Amino acid sequence: MSLNVKERRNKTGTVVVATGEINSETSGSLLETLLPLVREGRPLKIDLTAVTYVSSAGLRTLLVVYREAQHAGVAVTLYGVSEEVRFVMSATGFLDFFETGEAAAAEAKRKAAAPAGAGKAGR
């Protein structure tokens, strides 16, 4: 399976949405996409909702991104980590390196689905 990566920039940083598998065949291109974004110095959010598999090569790629982000002082947040991917990342200790944003992602989706003006009462 392949990996599709799309990026979009907003006021708060850059969002990268990955779809497919992060493995030995796809991790190099993912790294080539992520490292320049980290070096820009803006917060980076990586949406893994549609990632079905992460191999050891994929974990290595995420570790390189983490180390580069630490060096640059850039926040990297993972969103939408599936149970399978979470298990692998947790078992290997890689999940401890990253901030995860499941709650923030759920809130953003809820706000996007809410009618205009909803949720403003009581503020």
Side-chain angles (χ1 to χ4, degrees):
M1 177 164 215
S2 63
L3 181 70
N4 184 23
V5 179
K6 294 182 182 178
E7 71 179 75
R8 77 177 175 268
R9 297 163 192 267
N10 57 40
K11 295 177 192 173
T12 60
T14 303
V15 177
V16 173
V17 179
T19 304
E21 295 182 354
I22 304 174
N23 56 37
S24 60
E25 293 177 15
T26 62
S27 60
S29 64
L30 179 62
L31 189 62
E32 289 174 8
T33 298
L34 295 177
L35 284 182
L37 296 174
V38 168
R39 291 176 182 142
E40 286 179 3
R42 302 179 67 207
L44 179 62
K45 297 176 183 176
I46 304 171
D47 185 343
L48 300 175
T49 303
V51 171
T52 57
Y53 174 77
V54 177
S55 72
S56 59
L59 291 175
R60 181 189 165 282
T61 295
L62 292 174
L63 181 61
V64 170
V65 169
Y66 168 79
R67 287 183 176 162
E68 187 71 22
Q70 287 294 107
H71 178 71
V74 173
V76 176
T77 306
L78 303 181
Y79 285 89
V81 182
S82 71
E83 293 246 355
E84 296 82 11
V85 172
R86 181 177 292 279
F87 176 79
V88 170
M89 291 184 74
S90 179
T92 57
F94 279 75
L95 198 56
D96 295 337
F97 296 134
F98 294 93
E99 178 180 332
T100 58
E102 268 57 43
E107 178 68 11
K109 286 181 183 179
R110 184 190 64 76
K111 285 182 180 180
K120 292 186 179 179
R123 286 190 179 183

